[in-house]
Amino acid sequence: MMMYGGGGGFWHLSQERPKDAPRITNDLLKRVLSFLVPYWRQGTVIVVCLAIAAALGLGPPLLIRAVIDDAIPHGKTQELILLVVGMVAFPLAGGLVNVLQTYYSNYVGQRMMMDLRNQLYQHLTSLALRFFTNTKTGEIMSRLNNDVGGVQDSVTGSLISIVSNAFMLTSTLVLIFEMNWQLSVLAVILLPLFILPTRRVGRIRHDISRDTQRRYAELTAFMEETLSISGYLLMKTFTRDAAQLAKFRNKNLEIFDLSMRRAMVGRWFFMMVQTIGSIGPALIYLAGGLLVIRGSLTIGTIVAFVALLGRLYMPAAQLASVHVDFMTALALFNRIFEYLDLEPEIADLPGAAPAGKIAGRLTFEDVGFAYRADIPALRSVSFEVEPGQLAALVGPSGAGKTTITYLVPRFYDPSSGRICLDGRDLRDLRLESIRECMGVVTQETFLFHTTIRDNLLYARENASEEEMVAACKAAHIHDFVSNLPEGYETVVGERGYRLSGGEKQRVAIARVILKDPRILIMDEATSSLDSQSEALIQAALQPLLRGRTSLVIAHRLSTILAADVILVIDHGQLVERGTHQELLAQGGLYARLYEQQFKPRQRRVEAEEEPAELSLAV
C-alpha cells in the first residue's frame, strides 16, 4: 500500500528500514572531491564570489535600520537618498557577483561530469568480454548517461549550496549578535528544529533514489532491446506489440511510483521548517516590541533584525535540504564507483613486452577454459598452427570452436595451460600489440551506422583511397559500392541493415584486408546466403587467407579441402586432427560430420550449378 498525500503516507515511508543506509566515509568523500581537484582555481573564484555575495547581502537590512532610525526621524534628505540608492546598489552588485559564480560553478560541474564520463567509458572499454555478455547494454548506457548526468547536481547544487549557506549563516549570526544578543539567542534557539529530522529523511531518499536509478537502467535496457532493428523485427513477426507495450507501461509505472515517493518523502518535515520560519519573526516582534517599549531597542533594529532572520533560517533550511540531496547524490556516486571498481579480467602483466614483428605460429598447450567453474568449455586442448597455415575448426554446435577463437586475441584467458605466439605466452605480450597483428571476422557481421568508407577505414584510419579501393576489389565488393548512388559515402544504416547479408560480410572482409593482419580468425558461416553470394564471398576469402596464419570455423567444404590441418572439436576436447583425406580414412567423428553436413551441401551446390551449365551448352 502506498500513500502520497497525508500523514499516513509519510509515517509509512519513515518506518521503512533502508536496505543500504548511506555511509559517508572519509574515503568516499575524498574520492568524490578528487574529481574537483583539477579545477581548484575555478573553485577558489567560486568561494570568493560566495563570500562577497554573503557580505553584500548584509547591506540592505543595515540600510533599512539607518533609514528608520536616523534619516527619516532627523529629516536627512540627502542621506535618505543615498541609503535608498544603496538598497538598489547592494543587490545589483550581488547579482553581478552571482552571475560570475554561476558561470564558474556550472563550468566546474560540467567539466567534472565530462571527466567522470570519460573515465567510466575508458574503464568499461578495458573490461573483458565476460562483463558485456553478463550485463545488459541498456544498464551500461544508464550508468553513463543517467547516473553521471545526475552527479552534476551534487556539485553545482549541493556543494555550492553548502558553502554559500555556510557563509550566509555565519555572517548573519555575527551581525545579529552585534545588534542585540537577547534577540539573537531567541532566534538561534529555533535553529536545531531545522536540522534534527534530516538524517532519517536522507536515508529514505537515498534508498528510493538508488531504486529509481536501477529502474531507469532496466527501462533503458528494455528500450534498447525492443527499439533496435532486431528487436523490432522480432516483436512484429511474433505480434508481441501489445505485450511489449504492457511491459513498458509497467516499468514506467514503477518509476512513477518511486518518483512520487521520493517527491513526498519529508514533505511534512519541510512544512514544519516553513512553519518555524514564520514563528521566528513573530517571536522577534514580540520580544523586540517589549524592548522598544522599555526604551532599550529601536524600531529600525527590530525591522532590520527580522529582515536578517530570512538570512538565518533560509540557510539553515537549505543546509538541511542539501544534506538530503547530498545523501541522494551518494547513491549515484556509489553506482558509478561500482563499475569503476571492477577489475579488468584481461590486462597487461607488469613487464609485458610488445609483440613486434611476428611470424604467426600459434600454439595451444594443454589449454583448459570454463565460462563457469562447474562447466568446462575446453579441456586439455593442444595443437600448433605453423606460420601461413590454414587451420579449420570443425565440430558439432557447442563443441568449443568459438571459445578457441576467443582465446587467441585474449578476449578471455585460459583457466589452465597456455597459448603461445611464436613461442611466447600471450600473457607476456602487450594486449594491444597482440590484437594489432590479428584480424577477426565474426559470424554476425557488425557495421556502424555510418558510411561504407567510415566502416572500412575503421580498420586503418590513415589508409589511402587506393588502398581502400584495392581492399574492396579483393573482397569483390567494389563494383557493388561504385554502382550505389552515393558510392562509398552510402550510409549503411543501423547494424548495416541497408545491405544484404552477403554484402555486409564482403564489407567486413574488405575491412580486414585493409588492416592486413598476420593472423586471421574467422567464423565463415554462410548457411543463410544464396549460392551467388556465397560464391562471391568464397572468392573474397582467397586473397584474405593467402599467406596468413588462419584459424577458421569452417562451414564450407571448400575451406575444409583447402585447410592445411583440420581440428575436430567435440565436448571441449580436440578429438581428431589431420587433412580431409586422412580424417575420412579414419572413419571417426569428422567422417560422420562430412556425411551428415558437408556432403549433402556439396550435392546441393552441384545440383544448383547443373541448369546453368545446360543453358550454356544450349
Side-chain angles (χ1 to χ4, degrees):
M1 178 178 176
M2 192 176 303
M3 301 177 65
Y4 298 122
F10 176 71
W11 174 257
H12 169 69
L13 291 169
S14 64
Q15 295 305 306
E16 292 181 356
R17 181 175 179 82
K19 292 171 280 186
D20 181 24
R23 293 178 298 172
I24 306 179
T25 64
N26 288 334
D27 289 340
L28 178 60
L29 289 177
K30 286 179 181 178
R31 191 171 185 183
V32 172
L33 293 175
S34 68
F35 289 95
L36 295 173
V37 171
Y39 309 105
W40 65 270
R41 292 183 179 85
Q42 293 87 348
T44 301
V45 174
I46 293 171
V47 171
V48 171
C49 287
L50 292 175
I52 294 173
L56 291 172
L58 298 174
L62 296 177
L63 297 177
I64 291 174
R65 182 175 67 171
V67 167
I68 295 175
D69 291 345
D70 186 35
I72 294 178
H74 297 93
K76 299 179 179 179
T77 305
Q78 187 176 0
E79 181 179 335
L80 177 64
I81 294 173
L82 290 174
L83 290 172
V84 171
V85 171
M87 290 180 188
V88 177
F90 272 94
L92 177 61
L96 294 174
V97 172
N98 185 61
V99 170
L100 183 64
Q101 174 263 315
T102 300
Y103 170 80
Y104 277 107
S105 61
N106 278 279
Y107 175 87
V108 172
Q110 291 289 345
R111 291 287 302 189
M112 190 196 77
M113 187 170 65
M114 181 184 72
D115 294 343
L116 189 58
R117 185 176 283 120
N118 287 341
Q119 184 176 337
L120 183 57
Y121 182 85
Q122 180 180 1
H123 185 72
L124 287 171
T125 58
S126 73
L127 298 178
L129 181 61
R130 192 190 307 271
F131 169 78
F132 295 96
T133 59
N134 293 336
T135 309
K136 290 183 178 181
T137 302
E139 165 69 19
I140 299 172
M141 295 299 102
S142 180
R143 302 276 174 126
L144 276 168
N145 292 322
N146 299 338
D147 293 0
V148 175
V151 159
Q152 186 198 0
D153 293 336
S154 66
V155 178
T156 58
S158 301
L159 293 180
I160 299 300
S161 181
I162 289 173
V163 177
S164 173
N165 288 305
F167 278 133
M168 192 182 300
L169 190 62
T170 303
S171 60
T172 303
L173 281 171
V174 171
L175 181 59
I176 63 174
F177 269 96
E178 188 273 333
M179 294 174 66
N180 186 278
W181 69 268
Q182 296 101 323
L183 293 181
S184 299
V185 170
L186 179 61
V188 169
I189 289 175
L190 299 176
L191 281 179
L193 298 178
F194 289 89
I195 311 300
L196 295 178
T198 59
R199 183 176 178 83
R200 183 65 178 174
V201 174
R203 287 184 175 181
I204 297 171
R205 291 187 69 179
H206 172 274
D207 269 346
I208 295 175
S209 177
R210 180 197 57 200
D211 291 342
T212 302
Q213 291 303 116
R214 192 172 295 158
R215 293 294 187 272
Y216 267 119
E218 292 175 0
L219 184 66
T220 303
F222 181 83
M223 291 189 293
E224 193 274 335
E225 288 180 344
T226 56
L227 297 181
S228 66
I229 293 179
S230 299
Y232 171 84
L233 292 174
L234 190 66
M235 177 176 64
K236 291 298 182 181
T237 54
F238 283 90
T239 61
R240 298 291 294 171
D241 305 52
Q244 296 293 68
L245 179 59
K247 286 182 180 180
F248 181 84
R249 286 175 172 170
N250 287 335
K251 292 180 182 295
N252 223 1
L253 181 60
E254 289 175 353
I255 293 175
F256 167 78
D257 289 340
L258 286 168
S259 299
M260 286 299 298
R261 290 177 63 191
R262 183 176 182 274
M264 297 309 298
V265 163
R267 288 302 99 188
W268 286 101
F269 160 65
F270 292 117
M271 184 191 73
M272 182 179 68
V273 167
Q274 292 175 351
T275 303
I276 295 170
S278 65
I279 292 174
L283 292 177
I284 295 301
Y285 277 122
L286 176 61
L290 293 175
L291 292 175
V292 170
I293 292 172
R294 295 175 183 175
S296 58
L297 194 69
T298 65
I299 295 176
T301 300
I302 295 178
V303 174
F305 201 101
V306 171
L308 288 169
L309 280 186
R311 293 177 53 84
L312 182 68
Y313 292 148
M314 182 184 70
Q318 288 186 353
L319 282 172
S321 174
V322 84
H323 177 270
V324 172
D325 293 335
F326 189 71
M327 298 295 283
T328 302
L330 283 183
L332 300 180
F333 275 110
N334 283 333
R335 280 172 54 84
I336 294 169
F337 292 156
E338 281 178 10
Y339 273 12
L340 287 176
D341 290 339
L342 292 174
E343 291 292 335
E345 182 182 347
I346 309 297
D348 287 333
L349 295 176
K357 188 174 182 180
I358 64 167
R361 178 181 292 103
L362 279 177
T363 309
F364 275 57
E365 297 179 1
D366 201 28
V367 170
F369 178 77
Y371 294 101
R372 287 175 43 185
D374 56 334
I375 305 177
L378 295 177
R379 292 177 289 178
S380 301
V381 174
S382 298
F383 63 84
E384 185 168 270
V385 183
E386 295 294 335
Q389 280 191 336
L390 167 60
L393 295 173
V394 176
S397 178
K401 304 184 296 296
T402 300
T403 300
I404 290 175
T405 64
Y406 282 165
L407 294 178
V408 176
R410 285 195 70 195
F411 295 148
Y412 297 97
D413 277 339
S415 307
S416 59
R418 66 176 192 158
I419 304 170
C420 296
L421 176 59
D422 290 349
R424 295 181 292 175
D425 193 317
L426 288 178
R427 288 167 289 200
D428 294 331
L429 302 176
R430 289 181 188 169
L431 191 58
E432 186 175 352
S433 69
I434 293 172
R435 293 172 181 169
E436 281 178 349
C437 64
M438 295 183 183
V440 180
V441 179
T442 59
Q443 180 173 345
E444 184 182 354
T445 301
F446 183 87
L447 298 179
F448 291 102
H449 188 6
T450 183
T451 64
I452 294 175
R453 179 186 302 276
D454 289 340
N455 274 286
L456 291 167
L457 294 180
Y458 193 76
R460 187 154 57 95
E461 289 182 344
N462 60 350
S464 65
E465 183 78 12
E466 293 75 16
E467 290 172 324
M468 184 185 69
V469 171
C472 289
K473 286 181 178 178
H476 293 267
I477 192 66
H478 173 70
D479 291 342
F480 165 77
V481 175
S482 299
N483 289 328
L484 294 172
E486 298 177 5
Y488 283 93
E489 304 305 322
T490 302
V491 176
V492 301
E494 182 74 17
R495 300 181 68 86
Y497 266 90
R498 292 180 63 183
L499 304 180
S500 70
E503 291 158 358
K504 283 195 296 183
Q505 209 158 30
R506 280 180 282 153
V507 170
I509 291 171
R511 183 166 56 189
V512 175
I513 292 174
L514 192 60
K515 183 179 182 182
D516 193 24
R518 188 69 192 90
I519 296 174
L520 175 67
I521 303 163
M522 190 173 73
D523 187 338
E524 57 160 19
T526 56
S527 58
S528 61
L529 303 179
D530 58 78
S531 57
Q532 182 180 2
S533 296
E534 186 168 353
L536 287 171
I537 289 174
Q538 186 173 343
L541 287 176
Q542 292 176 5
L544 180 61
L545 296 171
R546 190 179 302 125
R548 308 177 200 276
T549 303
S550 303
L551 197 61
V552 180
I553 300 177
H555 298 268
R556 298 187 196 89
L557 182 62
S558 58
T559 302
I560 295 171
L561 293 175
D564 298 292
V565 61
I566 299 170
L567 305 172
V568 185
I569 312 298
D570 189 28
H571 293 94
Q573 293 181 296
L574 178 61
V575 294
E576 296 175 6
R577 78 180 78 191
T579 64
H580 173 66
Q581 294 300 332
E582 290 171 349
L583 294 176
L584 282 182
Q586 291 178 19
L589 176 60
Y590 176 80
R592 294 196 299 273
L593 290 173
Y594 173 74
E595 289 294 330
Q596 295 169 6
Q597 298 179 22
F598 299 111
K599 197 169 183 179
R601 186 177 303 173
Q602 183 184 23
R603 290 169 180 163
R604 286 198 302 272
V605 172
E606 290 172 352
E608 290 175 357
E609 291 174 349
E610 282 180 2
E613 293 173 356
L614 289 172
S615 62
L616 289 172
V618 172

